[in-house]
Amino acid sequence: MKIAIEGCMHGDLDKVYQTLKLIESQNGTKIDLLLCCGDFQAVRNERDMESLNVPLKYREMKSFWKYYSGREIAPVPTIFIGGNHEASNYLWELCYGGYAAPNIYFLGFAGVIKFGNIRIGGLSGIYNARNYRTGHHERAPYNESSIRSVYHVREYDVHKLMQVEEPIDIFLSHDWPVGITDCGNWKQLVRYKPHFEKEIQEKTLGSKAAAQLLEKLRPAYWFSAHLHCKFAAVVQHGEGGPLTKFLALDKCLPRRKFLQVIEIESEPGPYEIQYDEEWLAITRKFNSIFPLTFKNANFGATQLEMEDCRQFVSSRLQERGTKPFEFTQTAPPFDPTQSGPNGSFSGCPRNPQTESLLQLLELPYLLDSTSESREGRYSPSASQSIQRGSFVHNSEEIPIDDVDESELEEADDVDTRKE
């Protein structure tokens, strides 16, 4: 199976798919799957840009809306995670995972799916210690604080991934596992990104949560983005233990190393995206403690046993099949012939894919904004915390405007190789 991995998409789907077609043409091959490591920017219309944490001068429609509307169809199955520049209102609808557009699948805040017999896991967002042990309290429309905190990784989602016992082939995170630089040529990295050296030395560059997952899951491959550079490493898990090949990639710009093609052993195709039985069982077990306020999840309050959840999910998938529910539009797509925003802000509607998945698992829908979940946003302690933290420099917030304007006229730099 040939898999293309892309770093930060930033909404440039047209450019990435064109690059894949060029690779296929030049090499006489067929790419089976595209993985994107965050900052996907699934912006459907102008209203979605209000939930996108980027400077105003960088707010533009890009090309995702074409695929959402059906004007274009992704030429290769695409799986992505969220980063720190996302249409967070839309990803909230699909927080359990689902199709953001035909043939374009969002892994959710955390998730595991199968593509053929390859098992792919992922964690959306970036790590921020201040918000790690809070719940998913943010609701659109976001304020100056929540538009940033909404994409911070939560312990609840990491805890679910820590329950995975069956082998993971590929794992995606937006920011790098902290300490990963010790396993690669970090001196070469700091020659290109000298401002990383202090954080590398202090072991603060990256995500503690991702490092915890790397140690537990030990996937064959781990792909990341976020820091806008290419970096490779090999992690040895204990003496004589398995290896994880790590690769971080840049964003989609000319002359940047944003794309890599690998070939891995798999069963013969055709391949399709499928639900993962173990992951759905984990989702069923922990859904009752999904934290929707500032309070963290009470992990000791789960009532269901994992084995019972597994048997239940297995039975339901045998009845229904393992294909995810079909894509459904929940907001009007951008119309380039109109001069103003499409419609008015209406909060976050219930996505039929999410409703159907929860019905399959016989779980209640918890994502509607409630008085309890809104209450916490304006508590005095929360307000003080936000005020104290909002003006502190956060090295995790990598700006998107690190572009050498002269590069925009140059040819793309794309690496392809077998591993």
Side-chain angles (χ1 to χ4, degrees):
M1 181 188 297
K2 289 184 174 62
I3 301 177
I5 303 96
E6 196 272 337
C8 298
M9 180 73 77
H10 289 298
D12 285 323
L13 281 73
D14 281 352
K15 295 178 182 177
V16 171
Y17 289 137
Q18 289 165 9
T19 304
L20 292 181
K21 288 181 180 178
L22 179 63
I23 293 171
E24 290 179 328
S25 175
Q26 290 178 341
N27 294 277
T29 188
K30 178 73 174 74
I31 293 171
D32 299 296
L33 176 67
L34 171 65
L35 302 176
C36 176
C37 302
D39 285 355
F40 192 79
Q41 295 185 202
V43 176
R44 301 166 294 180
N45 53 44
E46 289 172 307
R47 291 294 179 186
D48 281 354
M49 283 194 281
E50 298 172 9
S51 299
L52 181 69
N53 183 32
V54 300
L56 285 174
K57 65 179 179 178
Y58 292 109
R59 286 188 177 181
E60 55 180 310
M61 284 306 303
K62 297 296 185 75
S63 55
F64 172 78
W65 68 272
K66 299 178 186 177
Y67 300 85
Y68 176 81
S69 68
R71 177 179 293 197
E72 301 285 349
I73 299 294
V76 57
T78 301
I79 296 170
F80 74 97
I81 57 168
N84 57 312
H85 300 297
E86 303 292 355
S88 297
N89 61 319
Y90 186 30
L91 298 192
W92 173 251
E93 295 179 24
L94 296 170
C95 66
Y96 294 90
Y99 283 105
N103 217 27
I104 299 175
Y105 191 88
F106 174 49
L107 263 179
F109 290 172
V112 180
I113 52 90
K114 288 183 176 177
F115 186 71
N117 69 320
I118 301 300
R119 204 158 180 243
I120 302 167
L123 176 67
S124 290
I126 61 171
Y127 179 78
N128 181 297
R130 188 173 64 250
N131 293 307
Y132 183 60
R133 290 186 170 87
T134 65
H136 289 285
H137 58 87
E138 299 88 353
R139 301 291 184 277
Y142 305 110
N143 59 32
E144 284 287 322
S145 174
S146 62
I147 199 172
R148 293 171 174 82
S149 66
V150 66
Y151 52 70
H152 288 155
V153 168
R154 306 299 154 97
E155 185 180 24
Y156 170 75
D157 302 300
V158 174
H159 183 80
K160 288 170 64 181
L161 286 165
M162 290 291 288
Q163 311 309 305
V164 173
E165 298 294 339
E166 297 174 4
I168 296 285
D169 298 294
I170 296 171
F171 196 87
L172 309 177
S173 69
H174 188 56
D175 46 358
W176 306 6
V178 69
I180 195 69
T181 48
D182 294 342
C183 302
N185 190 344
W186 66 268
K187 291 184 178 179
Q188 182 183 52
L189 174 64
V190 298
R191 283 197 292 271
Y192 178 60
K193 297 273 190 176
H195 53 289
F196 288 175
E197 184 166 9
K198 185 174 185 289
E199 290 178 272
I200 290 173
Q201 298 290 358
E202 296 175 349
K203 296 193 181 301
T204 57
L205 183 72
S207 165
K208 292 181 180 180
Q212 184 182 11
L213 288 168
L214 174 60
E215 182 179 358
K216 168 65 166 63
L217 300 177
R218 303 182 175 190
Y221 295 90
W222 186 296
F223 301 115
S224 297
H226 187 46
L227 298 183
H228 296 167
C229 61
K230 183 176 181 179
F231 180 77
V234 177
V235 181
Q236 173 80 58
H237 297 286
E239 188 175 349
L243 298 176
T244 295
K245 295 181 179 180
F246 173 85
L247 181 67
L249 292 166
D250 207 331
K251 58 182 176 178
C252 178
L253 281 175
R255 298 183 61 192
R256 304 287 275 264
K257 296 176 180 179
F258 66 89
L259 196 65
Q260 187 87 36
V261 178
I262 65 169
E263 183 170 358
I264 62 176
E265 292 186 8
S266 67
E267 295 176 352
Y271 310 108
E272 60 183 13
I273 296 171
Q274 304 170 61
Y275 284 133
D276 181 84
E277 184 179 299
E278 183 187 27
W279 180 251
L280 292 190
I282 292 169
T283 299
R284 178 170 165 80
K285 176 176 172 64
F286 290 97
N287 195 66
S288 64
I289 61 167
F290 193 144
L292 295 166
T293 70
F294 272 93
K295 294 181 180 178
N296 197 3
N298 179 2
F299 297 111
T302 55
Q303 302 294 320
L304 301 175
E305 296 296 327
M306 184 60 72
E307 186 57 37
D308 293 338
C309 292
R310 188 65 183 262
Q311 291 177 5
F312 174 87
V313 169
S314 177
S315 174
R316 297 310 302 269
L317 292 181
Q318 285 178 13
E319 294 172 5
R320 182 201 169 269
T322 57
K323 281 188 178 183
F325 292 95
E326 293 184 359
F327 165 74
T328 306
Q329 288 187 7
T330 55
F334 173 67
D335 184 348
T337 66
Q338 293 186 2
S339 58
N342 301 45
S344 60
F345 184 82
S346 58
C348 289
R350 290 190 174 194
N351 194 295
Q353 293 179 79
T354 299
E355 288 189 297
S356 296
L357 176 60
L358 293 172
Q359 289 167 9
L360 174 69
L361 300 178
E362 295 187 4
L363 296 173
Y365 187 95
L366 303 175
L367 304 182
D368 289 333
S369 186
T370 64
S371 58
E372 180 186 10
S373 65
R374 303 289 285 190
E375 216 170 79
R377 296 178 64 188
Y378 304 103
S379 66
S381 61
S383 176
Q384 291 168 10
S385 173
I386 289 168
Q387 290 170 6
R388 283 195 302 268
S390 59
F391 299 106
V392 176
H393 170 69
N394 183 356
S395 62
E396 295 160 355
E397 304 285 353
I398 305 300
I400 65 170
D401 56 342
D402 60 344
V403 184
D404 180 348
E405 297 297 333
S406 65
E407 293 178 346
L408 299 179
E409 304 300 322
E410 304 293 338
D412 290 345
D413 182 359
V414 179
D415 290 338
T416 63
R417 76 165 185 256
K418 292 184 179 181
E419 288 189 9

